[in-house]
Amino acid sequence: MEVFCRNIPDQVTEKLLNKSLAPHLKEFSIHIYQCRRLRKGCATVTVGEAAKGQKFLERYGDPPKGTRRETKPLTLFGKPIYMSISKNPPDELLIRSLQEEEQRRKQKGPRILISEPKKLKKTFAITSLSCGVWDYAGPNPVFVRYFHLARSGTMHFGKTFLKISLPSMSWPYAMHEFEYDYSFMRGQMYLGNSANSTVTLSMDFAPRLYMTLIDTIDALMQQMSINTTNHQSRNLIKTRIDSLGKGFEVVAATCFTYQLTLAQSADLRLLHPLKDDRRIPELVSWVTRTVQPDLPLEVHMASFSYSLDSISLPYRMAFQLQMLVWNGILPPSKVVKLFPGVHQLLEHAGVHQAARIIQQLAREVQYAGPESEEADLAVGTLFQSMADIEETIQHDSYFRNNQSLHPNRTYVHKATVTPLGIYLTGPVWENKNRVLRRYNDHTDYFMRVEFSEENGDPIKFDVNASLDQIYGKRFKNVLLNGFVVGGRKFEFLGFSHSSLRSQSCWFMAAFTTTSGEMVDARNIIDKLGDFGEIRVPAKCAARIGQAFSDTLTSIEISPETVEIIDDVEKGDRVFSDGVGTLSYALMHKIGEEYAVRAKLKPTVFQVRVAGAKGMISLDSTLTDNVLRLRPSMIKFNGVDSWKIEICGSGIKPLPMYLNRQLIKILEDLGVHADYFLEIQQEEVDSLRKISQSPVLAANFLERSNLAQSTRMPFLIRALVRLKLKFLNDRFLRRMLELAVIVKLRELKYRSRIRVNKGLTLYGIMDETGFLREGEVYCPFLSETGQRQVLIGNRLVITRAPALHPGDVQLVNAVDIPTDSPLNDLHNCIVFSQKGDRDLPSKLSGGDLDGDLYNIIYDLRLCHDGQGMPLRVKVPADYPRLQAPALDRKVKREDIINHFLVFMQQDQLGRIATLHQILADAKPDGTLNPDCLILAELHSTAVDFSKTGIPADISRLPKHPRVRPDFMAPGPRVKVEDKIELIQSIVDSPEPDDEDADEPAQTRYYKSTKVVGQLYRAIDETAFINELRDTADEDLDPNAPDIFRTLWLHVQRETAGFQWAHHTSAAKEIKEIYEEKLMDLMYQYSSNPWATHLDELEVFVGNIIGTNHNLSKRQREASSSMREDYNTMVEYVVSRIQNKDGSREEALEQSIACMSLGLFEDQDDQSTNGRKSKVKLLSFRWIAAAICLLEIDRLHKSR
C-alpha cells in the first residue's frame, strides 16, 4: 500500500525522512519500504504488505472524520506529520520489488549479534586542503604543496568515493566539493600523528570538482555557530566546475597528490578502524613532511615551455617530453634536466627511436612517494633507464615494415581533454582518412582529440548536477582557442559521424607543404569541397565529416570513369537512396589493392568518392572502368578528389545476433519464450562443454574468432595429439576462462544470442527490376566458401537498432533467372525497387548507403507459438525533421557549437534505457503508446548528429522508480593469477545512510517477460565454479611443465637442425611483439596516460572494463583492438617464418623464437628505478604454435 504524508518540513530530505520513519515502521515489522519526497511538503511511503501498513496508519495516521486522535502524530523538527492512505494506487512493480526484497531478507535469517556493532565515524572536520606532488628532501619523501586552501570543511568516506566539502572562496552560500573515487586511488592513504594530523592520498588523475549552492538557512546557522548536526541542508544547485580560481588549473591538471588537515588530531584514532572496510584503500601511519616549492608551478611550467621551444627538438620528441609533464609523470623542472641527455639520444638513436624511448620511460618511471626511493627518480637514474630501454628497442623494423605493408594506416598523436586537464598519448596506429592521405607527409601536424571524464570515460548526463560550465566554458574554450604541444598550435578541424558520437574530433597545426602551400585549420576545408550552399551547421559538419571517416584503402580513378544516373523514385520515396554500381573491370582494379587475400573478391562496397558516399554493387553488364553514382549519393561537390575510398565490403556474411530490444519486439509479435530459452541454452551448453574437451575448446576459439591470429586453435589440437593437457598451463587456462566468461556475460547481460540460421549483410537495390514488392534476393558465401542463395517465404528481416514493433517485417527470399546479372553478386541483400514504399525505410528508417540488415530463416522464430506467421505491425513513418537554416554560410564556430551541443544533449542511451524499462513494465510491451513515443524520440536522437535537432526530452514518459532485474549490476571480472568474479558491494538501503550525495540504490523486481527469464536462466557464478571444477578434475598437479615438455618434443623432431644462429633475430622479434603488445595495452585503456589493460584482454580481444556490461565505446574499442592486434601478430608470424628471406630457414627461426620461452622465469628483474616490468607470457605460445606448424610442414614435405 502507499501512505500519503503531508506537512513535511522543507529541510527534510528523502533520506532523512527514511531515517526518521524507520523505528516507527519497525514497530509493525516493516523493514523494507520506499520513501519518496514530493513537492509542497508532501511525501509517500510505500510498503509491500498492506496489512502491516494499515496497522501503522491506525496508530500514526489521520483519524477517521468525526473522531479524535488517540495517539500523538509523528513529528519532524517540531511539525506534526499527517498521514493517510494515498488516493493513487501503489506502483505494482514497486510493490513486487519490496515483497521480493522482504522475502530475501527473511531467507537470510536474523542476524545473531553478540554485541551491538559499533558504528564507525565516517565524517571528519578538516581545516585545509592542499594539492601538490611527492618529491624528496635528501633521501626522505616530502609533500610539495603547490596549492593550499585554508577553509574549514568536512571529509566524508562514502561507499564509492571520498568527498571533501569546503566553503567557496567567492560565493557566500556555496560549497566546493571534491570527489575522489577509491578505485582510482594510487596505493595507500597516509595518516599523520598528533603533531601533524594530516591525511595524504594520491590519485591516478584529478578528482571531480563541484560547486553547490546550499540552503541559506543552513548557512546562517553555521555562521551563528548553531549546531546543524541533525539539520539536512538542501542542495539547490549543483554544478560541475573546472577551477577554483587562479593558480588552481595548472596544479589540478598535473598534481594528483592531496593532503587534508584534520581539525581534531584525535580523529586519527577514529580513522584507523576504516581499514576494515574493503572499499576504502589501505590506511597506514606515515608522518608526511610538507614543504613549500621554490617557485609556483605556473612559473615552472612556463620555464619548461620556454626551454622546450628554445632547444628546437623534433616535434615527436617534444611531444613525448611534454607528455611527461602534462600527464603528471615528472615535474617540469626535472624534465628540463633531461634535455642534454635527450640531445645525445637523438644523435645516435634517431627521432623515431628516441621518441619511443621517452614514451617507454613514461610508462616505466616510478611514482614518487613513501613507497619509492629518492634514487629511483634521480636524473642519473632516469638517464640509465633511457639507456636500458634503448638496448631493448634498438630496431625500428616494425615501424618501417608497417608503413610499407599497410600504407593505409599511419601513426597519430592523441590528446584527451578533461574538465581539469589535457593529457597526451601516442602515437597510435590508426586507419587513414581522406585528409591524412592527402597530407601523408605531414601527419604529425594532425591530432585526434577526445573529450572525456577525468578517468577517460565519456561524460554522461548527470541528473544531480549541471554540466554547463564544463561544456560551455572548459570544452568550448579548448575548441575555439586550441592548445600548444611541442611548439605547435593545434586548432579544431572537424569530425566524422562516428567520432562525434564518441566525443572526439580532429585538431591540426598549420604547416607549409614542399610546394610552398600554406595549410591551416581554416583553409583545409575549402580544399575538400564546396560546402557554401549547405546552411545547416549539423548537415554541413556531417558533409565535411565524410573526409574524416576512417577508410581501409584508396583507389585512384579518372573523372571519366564516373557516370551520374537517375535515382529510382516513387512519389517522395527514393528506392535507390545511397546506392550505385560499378563494372567488373573496376571491381577487379579495387581487388588488386583491397581484400587481396580473399578467395572470392567482394562484389559490394561501402565507399566515399569525392563528395559522394554510399554503396556500390557489381553490374556485370557494364564494360570498361565504370562507376555509376546517383544524386542521392552526392552530398557535396568534391574538389580534385577522384579516388574510391573503401569503408567496408561484403567479403563474408556476418553472423546474426539477437539483442534485448529485438527479443522484446519478437515476444510482443508472438514468438514464444521457449524459443529464446532454447537457443540460449544451446549456447550455454556449448560453453559448458569447452572445459570437458580440448577439441571443443579449439572449435570455440575458432568459431568465436578469438585468438585466431595467434594460432591457438591449432596449438590446442596439436597438444591433444601429443597427449598434453593445455589446461595445466596457467596462461592457456586463463586465456580460455576469460574467453568463456566474455561470451557468457554477453548472453546474460546483453542477451546477445547467435541465431545460426541468420545472416547480417549490406543492403543494395535490384538494378534489374525483377524482384516484386516484398521480395529479396540474398546470395551469400557459406563457411566453406560455397555460394548459396537463401530461399524461403515469410522470413524475418530487421535492422538495428530496432525499438518500434514495425521495425521487424516479413519477406519472401527468392531466386532469380540464371541469366540475371544479379547472379554475379554475393554477401548482400538485394531489395526490390517496386511498391509504394521501399522496404529498407520500414526497418528503423534504413537506407542503402551502407546499412547492415539482418535476415532470419529459422522457422521457429518466423512463426508465433501456435505455428502461425508473425503478426507484423505497420512500420513507423516519422516525418523528416528540417533544422532551420542560417542566412549565411556556415562558419567554423557554428560547427564547434554543434559539436558541443551534441555532446551535451545527446540522449540516445537514456532513451534506449527508458524504452527497455517501460517495454518490460507495460503489459503490451513495445506496443504501448509510451514505448512508441520513445521509439520516435530514439529516431530523432539517432538523426541528431545530422539534423542538429535533439530529442525533446520533455516528451519522455513517466517511468517506474524500479527496474527489471535483468538491468541490475553484476559482478566485475578481475584478471590476475586466475579469472575472478568480484561481487559489487551493494548494501541494503539503511535508514541512517549518510551518503546523501551518492546515487540512491535502485530497486529491482523479478521480470516475468522473456528477457527476465533469459537473464535468470544463467547463474554466472555457478557456471564458472562448475567450469573450474570440471577442469580441476582433469588436472595433474604433478605433471611436468607443458611448455618444457613441448620443447623436448620439438628437439626430438628437429634433431640435427642448426638454429642457434637465429637467436639474435628471435630476440628482436620477441622485443617487437612485446613492445607493440604493451602499446596496445596502453592505447586501449580508458585512461592510457595512467593505466593499461591486462595482456589477456588484448590476447583474447575483449576489454573487460570495470562494469558487468561494456559501454558501446568499449565494445567498439575491443573491435579495433582485435584488428590492431591481429595485424601486429600477422607481422610477427611473418618474421618468425622468415617470409621476407629464405623460407627454408622458417623452422630454424621458429625454434629459436620458441627457445626464448624457456628462460622467461630467469629474466633480470632489476628495475633501476623503473616500475617492475609487466611480465608478458603470450609470445612463447605463439612461437610454439608456429614451430609446430613448421614441423607439420616438414613432415608433409617428406
Side-chain angles (χ1 to χ4, degrees), residues 932-949:
L932 296 179
I933 289 173
L934 287 169
E936 181 181 357
L937 292 174
H938 191 271
S939 176
T940 302
V942 167
D943 292 337
F944 178 23
S945 60
K946 295 176 286 187
T947 64
I949 302 175

Side-chain angles (χ1 to χ4, degrees), residues 434 438 524-534 540 543-544 546-547 564 609-613 629-631 633-642:
R434 186 178 304 176
R438 181 166 187 161
I524 197 172
I525 302 299
D526 296 331
K527 303 175 191 299
L528 297 175
D530 181 6
F531 306 98
E533 298 302 315
I534 306 174
C540 185
R543 301 302 174 238
I544 295 172
Q546 289 177 214
I564 307 299
V609 183
K613 65 186 285 280
L629 305 177
R630 288 189 164 95
M633 303 175 69
I634 301 172
K635 308 303 181 182
F636 64 92
N637 293 321
V639 177
D640 299 332
S641 179
W642 294 105

Side-chain angles (χ1 to χ4, degrees), residues 143-179:
F143 172 67
V144 182
R145 184 169 66 192
Y146 281 110
F147 177 83
H148 182 67
L149 194 59
R151 294 263 170 163
S152 296
T154 59
M155 169 178 67
H156 175 70
F157 288 85
K159 293 177 182 176
T160 59
F161 58 79
L162 174 69
K163 187 179 82 169
I164 309 300
S165 301
L166 298 167
S168 169
M169 295 180 290
S170 52
W171 291 76
Y173 303 120
M175 298 291 288
H176 282 141
E177 298 175 353
F178 300 73
E179 291 182 356

Side-chain angles (χ1 to χ4, degrees), residues 137-401:
N140 301 314
V142 295
F143 172 67
V144 182
R145 184 169 66 192
Y146 281 110
F147 177 83
H148 182 67
L149 194 59
R151 294 263 170 163
S152 296
T154 59
M155 169 178 67
H156 175 70
F157 288 85
K159 293 177 182 176
T160 59
F161 58 79
L162 174 69
K163 187 179 82 169
I164 309 300
S165 301
L166 298 167
S168 169
M169 295 180 290
S170 52
W171 291 76
Y173 303 120
M175 298 291 288
H176 282 141
E177 298 175 353
F178 300 73
E179 291 182 356
Y180 305 83
D181 286 344
Y182 299 139
S183 56
F184 300 117
M185 286 188 181
R186 186 186 298 164
Q188 303 164 322
M189 297 177 69
Y190 300 104
L191 307 182
N193 57 19
S194 57
N196 184 19
S197 53
T198 58
V199 178
T200 309
L201 60 100
S202 294
M203 301 289 295
D204 285 328
F205 29 73
R208 294 184 297 275
L209 182 60
Y210 297 91
M211 183 175 73
T212 304
L213 296 179
I214 60 176
D215 194 335
T216 53
I217 295 175
D218 183 72
L220 289 171
M221 291 172 70
Q222 290 184 16
Q223 288 180 9
M224 293 185 291
S225 301
I226 298 175
N227 186 358
T228 60
T229 303
N230 295 318
H231 178 72
Q232 297 284 312
S233 63
R234 289 181 299 151
N235 295 339
L236 302 182
I237 301 175
K238 187 173 183 178
T239 302
R240 186 80 179 267
I241 58 176
D242 65 333
S243 176
L244 290 180
K246 185 179 179 182
F248 179 75
E249 292 115 328
V250 66
V251 175
T254 59
C255 300
F256 306 137
T257 298
Y258 286 79
Q259 188 175 83
L260 311 164
T261 304
L262 294 169
Q264 302 290 332
S265 60
D267 282 343
L268 287 169
R269 178 175 52 82
L270 301 177
L271 276 166
H272 278 287
L274 293 178
K275 68 180 184 298
D276 296 327
D277 189 331
R278 62 190 178 97
R279 294 169 295 198
I280 298 174
E282 184 181 5
L283 298 160
V284 298
S285 295
W286 176 277
V287 180
T288 303
R289 179 186 166 199
T290 302
V291 299
Q292 295 296 329
D294 55 344
L295 292 169
L297 185 60
E298 52 263 41
V299 175
H300 279 297
M301 295 293 278
S303 175
F304 165 77
S305 297
Y306 176 79
S307 301
L308 191 62
D309 291 341
S310 300
I311 59 176
S312 301
L313 287 173
Y315 170 74
R316 289 192 177 188
M317 281 299 294
F319 179 94
Q320 298 300 330
L321 292 170
Q322 191 158 333
M323 181 182 68
L324 289 173
V325 174
W326 277 19
N327 293 10
I329 297 168
L330 289 173
S333 57
K334 185 158 289 187
V335 175
V336 170
K337 295 176 182 177
L338 296 179
F339 286 178
V342 167
H343 271 295
Q344 296 176 16
L345 185 64
L346 271 171
E347 289 176 2
H348 63 262
V351 175
H352 175 70
Q353 284 300 95
R356 290 288 301 154
I357 291 166
I358 302 301
Q359 184 182 29
Q360 190 64 24
L361 176 70
R363 295 170 181 173
E364 297 187 8
V365 68
Q366 288 273 26
Y367 294 123
E371 297 175 356
S372 304
E373 301 291 334
E374 184 273 337
D376 293 339
L377 287 113
V379 173
T381 305
L382 296 175
F383 282 142
Q384 183 59 50
S385 296
M386 290 161 60
D388 293 343
I389 295 169
E390 185 178 5
E391 287 184 8
T392 66
I393 56 172
Q394 288 183 344
H395 46 78
D396 61 355
S397 57
Y398 181 77
F399 173 76
R400 293 195 312 270
N401 280 280

Side-chain angles (χ1 to χ4, degrees), residues 888-954:
R888 55 172 173 78
K889 290 184 178 181
V890 174
K891 298 179 180 178
R892 173 175 172 271
E893 290 75 15
D894 299 318
I895 293 176
I896 287 174
N897 187 61
H898 170 60
F899 185 81
L900 285 165
V901 170
F902 184 85
M903 280 199 294
Q904 191 166 13
Q905 298 187 22
D906 180 23
Q907 299 288 330
L908 194 63
R910 182 183 178 191
I911 294 168
T913 299
L914 182 53
H915 182 275
Q916 204 170 122
I917 294 170
L918 286 177
D920 189 85
K922 301 294 184 180
D924 45 357
T926 57
L927 303 171
N928 185 271
D930 284 348
C931 287
L932 296 179
I933 289 173
L934 287 169
E936 181 181 357
L937 292 174
H938 191 271
S939 176
T940 302
V942 167
D943 292 337
F944 178 23
S945 60
K946 295 176 286 187
T947 64
I949 302 175
D952 183 2
I953 60 172
S954 67

Side-chain angles (χ1 to χ4, degrees), residues 41 150 288 315 467 578 659 694 705 753 929 969 1059 1063 1073 1078 1162:
T288 303
Y315 170 74
L467 296 171
N659 57 44
N705 202 25
I753 308 170
W1059 53 267
T1063 302
Y1073 171 82
M1078 283 300 303
Q1162 304 170 23

